[in-house]
Amino acid sequence: MSAAGELDEAAPLLGAPPSANMSDAADSLGKQIRTHAEPQGAWDPEGVQDRARLDESDFVTVTEDRNLKRGLHQRHVSLIAIAGAIGTGLFLGLGGSIERGGPLGALLGYATVGLIVCAVQFALGEVTALFPVTGSFVRHAEVLVDPALGFAIGYNLVYGNCLSIPAEITAICVLFQYWTDINSSLWIVIFIALTVAVGLCFIGIYGEVEFWFALLKIVFIVFLILLGLIIDLGAVSGTPRIGFRYWNHPGPFVEYIATGSWGKFLGYWAVMSNAVFSFAGTESLAMAAAETRNPRVAIPKACKRVFFRVATFYILAVLIVGMLVRSDDPRLDDGYGTAAQSPFVIAASAAGLNGVPSLVNAIVITSAWSSSNQALLSGTRVLYGLALKNQAPKIFLRTTPWGTPYLCTLFFGAFMFLAFMSLSDGALTVFWWLVDLTACGVLISWITVLTNHFRLMRAMKAQGLELKYSTPAALVMCVIILFTAGFPVFTKGNWSASDFISSYLDIPLVITAFVLWKIYKRTKIVKLVDIPLREALARAEEDIQPEPKQPGWRKVVGFLWD
């Protein structure tokens, strides 16, 4: 298969007709590159131009290529996204969604957000096929939209990850309290050390850790789905068949804030906010693109296939939970955040299966630690990318001999000690309030991914390649959800200044960072005709490597990631 064909397979354009695909783009523009010298910014395969110029380019720079190591394989990249998306949002958070929207409202909410995530993943994969750089969509924003947007989104992610990592470690401490009264400071120290150790290791070791954690979580969620189905059908001795009993009473929807059809719609809409945070993490799989082998093929393929696997797990889990647990069960909102809150545990306990709570608690602990590892990878690579573009101190470009940006890791390691705030109840309240401030950052990241893809498609049209795509619809939905995420505070009797700030503060923070960098650097929105598609497509033709054929047993075992 040709390089152009590999690129086409890796990232087929959403909704594009067969004649208007990436292969045609690569062939036609590649020929133009070879036959017409470009006076500005042309890719020079002979290496005549000054190679140092690439350190200011929009492609993989000399610094990345020299100092980072390509230790992530296709299977690592695919399961990193699954490991990040299947976590506390699935094992514990589904109960709150059922309570808020009812079984059908929750199912529709997760399905709606799943469609948005589909567009986000496809958009990320297609842009990464052209620009497989460290920092992913943060760096993409610089070349496709405006350098000021890359600066604003980059620091928004750095800020968010500085808080989310200690938050996950704090969650681990709470989960251990389900079993033991040992002082939480011990668990904090242990998991800070483990997280920093994984962050300082060779990227391939991180990939292996996340790979096996992802497999563990996949096996466990499949087990819980099958267990739930068995309980629902009455196959457990002494347990009556439940079926869709709870869809009839209390009912498929729950009225939220208002009454009647409007109240049921608000319940459904409130579920979508929870669903967004449950799916969070899938967009970070491309953060270490410059450390991935054959990234122009591996990452787009992972983006396409990971979505279907994650969406399947969530949709099936929501469906089963809605059949097992009443939406008005008070245990769904016990407020402790331990395994007792899991709807799977509630159903298993009712069926007399007493060993399930501890099993769920153990898996959720591994999920929380896996999430902290992924947040560390995402944060360090974004900070490294900012330093590459002179938007952060150059000291963060220092790497170990095995290619890890160790000063970036130590920077985030310092913020992990915020987890000790969990030892004080008052401080913990403030800490979780600060963590809530980063909640809409997920939607802002998705909006950035979709905006990058929208600009790429507009640029291809402006440069003679008209294509069809579904990004605008998903982009509009993300913006609507972003601005309505805190809608309860605007309803009568529900105003809360802290809830309003935690729901919307991230928006002015990003806007302020964008405006300040734009004024300071006098950046301009990139013209569509100036986006370097010719360089990118020509370089893609040269970079893509044919994938080796796998033996039969590898194809069977690797169905989750290949």
Side-chain angles (χ1 to χ4, degrees), residues 253-540:
F253 290 97
V254 172
E255 295 178 351
Y256 179 61
I257 295 179
T259 58
S261 299
W262 179 240
K264 293 176 181 178
F265 173 79
L266 291 181
Y268 151 75
W269 196 259
V271 166
M272 285 205 290
S273 295
N274 294 338
V276 166
F277 305 130
S278 295
F279 279 106
T282 55
E283 74 281 356
S284 64
L285 64 90
M287 284 298 180
E291 298 166 82
T292 303
R293 298 187 181 186
N294 204 12
R296 298 184 191 273
V297 172
I299 291 177
K301 184 182 292 186
C303 286
K304 289 188 299 179
R305 299 182 180 179
V306 161
F307 160 74
F308 292 109
R309 288 158 175 77
V310 172
T312 300
F313 292 138
Y314 269 97
I315 298 302
L316 287 176
V318 174
L319 177 63
I320 295 297
V321 167
M323 295 163 63
L324 289 175
V325 183
R326 296 171 58 98
S327 58
D328 57 358
D329 192 313
R331 290 172 294 181
L332 292 176
D333 189 27
D334 68 2
Y336 293 107
T338 65
Q341 188 179 357
S342 171
F344 295 106
V345 170
I346 293 173
S349 298
L353 304 176
N354 297 323
V356 173
S358 289
L359 183 59
V360 171
N361 204 59
I363 297 298
V364 174
I365 287 174
T366 65
S367 298
W369 186 50
S370 174
S371 297
S372 69
N373 287 335
Q374 189 173 52
L376 180 62
L377 178 78
S378 176
T380 54
R381 271 48 180 186
V382 168
L383 184 57
Y384 184 88
L386 290 171
L388 276 174
K389 305 300 288 187
N390 295 315
Q391 295 173 339
K394 289 290 186 181
I395 193 174
F396 289 119
L397 293 178
R398 294 183 181 180
T399 59
T400 62
W402 52 88
T404 298
Y406 67 93
L407 286 180
C408 293
T409 301
L410 295 178
F411 172 82
F412 282 93
F415 282 90
M416 294 179 195
F417 288 93
L418 288 175
F420 280 99
M421 296 175 67
S422 64
L423 302 179
S424 167
D425 292 338
L428 181 60
T429 300
V430 175
F431 174 70
W432 280 112
W433 182 76
L434 290 173
V435 172
D436 287 342
L437 296 177
T438 68
C440 67
V442 175
L443 281 167
I444 291 176
S445 295
W446 290 0
I447 289 171
T448 304
V449 171
L450 293 167
T451 301
N452 291 340
H453 187 253
F454 179 72
R455 290 279 298 176
L456 175 63
M457 298 298 101
R458 290 286 305 277
M460 297 187 82
K461 180 179 179 180
Q463 297 182 31
L465 295 169
E466 186 170 356
L467 301 158
K468 297 180 180 179
Y469 50 98
S470 62
T471 288
L475 181 58
V476 170
M477 282 296 296
C478 280
V479 173
I480 292 174
I481 296 174
L482 174 66
F483 283 99
T484 59
F487 76 87
V489 302
F490 300 111
T491 58
K492 187 176 180 180
N494 292 309
W495 170 257
S496 168
S498 61
D499 289 345
F500 173 79
I501 293 173
S502 64
S503 295
Y504 295 110
L505 181 61
D506 209 37
I507 298 174
L509 288 178
V510 171
I511 293 175
T512 300
F514 175 83
V515 172
L516 290 177
W517 191 257
K518 194 167 185 64
I519 293 174
Y520 178 64
K521 287 292 186 177
R522 297 182 180 180
T523 64
K524 296 181 180 180
I525 295 177
V526 180
K527 294 181 180 179
L528 295 175
V529 294
D530 291 338
I531 294 175
L533 293 181
R534 297 184 177 188
E535 289 184 80
L537 289 166
R539 187 158 183 172

Side-chain angles (χ1 to χ4, degrees), residues 44-385:
D44 178 20
E46 300 299 327
V48 176
Q49 298 181 17
D50 184 5
R51 298 293 296 177
R53 183 178 65 83
L54 286 176
D55 269 343
E56 300 298 328
S57 76
D58 303 304
F59 305 107
V60 176
T61 64
V62 170
T63 300
E64 287 172 274
D65 196 45
R66 180 182 63 239
N67 295 338
L68 302 179
K69 308 298 182 184
R70 296 190 181 273
L72 292 178
H73 297 266
Q74 168 76 56
R75 62 187 179 90
H76 294 148
V77 174
S78 294
L79 291 204
I80 281 173
I82 294 179
I86 299 179
T88 54
L90 180 60
F91 297 121
L92 300 181
L94 286 186
S97 298
I98 298 294
E99 180 190 37
R100 183 66 55 85
L104 183 55
L107 185 63
L108 293 175
Y110 275 82
T112 302
V113 174
L115 292 174
I116 295 173
V117 174
C118 177
V120 171
Q121 288 294 93
F122 285 4
L124 179 63
E126 289 177 10
V127 178
T128 304
L130 288 181
F131 303 103
V133 293
T134 301
S136 185
F137 56 89
V138 176
R139 294 265 298 280
H140 298 159
E142 294 190 3
V143 60
L144 295 172
V145 187
D146 190 314
L149 179 61
F151 173 84
I153 298 301
Y155 274 99
N156 184 59
L157 285 170
V158 169
Y159 149 76
N161 287 315
C162 281
L163 294 180
S164 64
I165 300 173
E168 297 291 352
I169 295 175
T170 298
I172 293 172
C173 296
V174 174
L175 291 165
F176 267 107
Q177 290 174 3
Y178 183 78
W179 289 321
T180 178
D181 294 329
I182 294 177
N183 193 301
S184 295
S185 59
L186 174 64
W187 306 118
I188 293 174
V189 171
I190 289 174
F191 281 93
I192 286 177
L194 288 174
T195 304
V196 172
V198 172
L200 290 175
C201 286
F202 173 57
I203 187 68
I205 295 177
Y206 163 82
E208 288 296 331
V209 170
E210 292 299 289
F211 176 82
W212 292 107
F213 272 135
L215 285 182
L216 177 65
K217 284 189 276 189
I218 290 170
V219 170
F220 186 62
I221 191 58
V222 170
F223 163 75
L224 288 180
I225 291 173
L226 292 176
L227 177 64
L229 186 60
I230 292 171
I231 294 173
D232 184 76
L233 295 177
V236 177
S237 178
T239 302
R241 182 180 182 275
I242 302 174
F244 284 89
R245 180 188 310 170
Y246 301 140
W247 284 55
N248 295 322
H249 182 75
F253 290 97
V254 172
E255 295 178 351
Y256 179 61
I257 295 179
T259 58
S261 299
W262 179 240
K264 293 176 181 178
F265 173 79
L266 291 181
Y268 151 75
W269 196 259
V271 166
M272 285 205 290
S273 295
N274 294 338
V276 166
F277 305 130
S278 295
F279 279 106
T282 55
E283 74 281 356
S284 64
L285 64 90
M287 284 298 180
E291 298 166 82
T292 303
R293 298 187 181 186
N294 204 12
R296 298 184 191 273
V297 172
I299 291 177
K301 184 182 292 186
C303 286
K304 289 188 299 179
R305 299 182 180 179
V306 161
F307 160 74
F308 292 109
R309 288 158 175 77
V310 172
T312 300
F313 292 138
Y314 269 97
I315 298 302
L316 287 176
V318 174
L319 177 63
I320 295 297
V321 167
M323 295 163 63
L324 289 175
V325 183
R326 296 171 58 98
S327 58
D328 57 358
D329 192 313
R331 290 172 294 181
L332 292 176
D333 189 27
D334 68 2
Y336 293 107
T338 65
Q341 188 179 357
S342 171
F344 295 106
V345 170
I346 293 173
S349 298
L353 304 176
N354 297 323
V356 173
S358 289
L359 183 59
V360 171
N361 204 59
I363 297 298
V364 174
I365 287 174
T366 65
S367 298
W369 186 50
S370 174
S371 297
S372 69
N373 287 335
Q374 189 173 52
L376 180 62
L377 178 78
S378 176
T380 54
R381 271 48 180 186
V382 168
L383 184 57
Y384 184 88

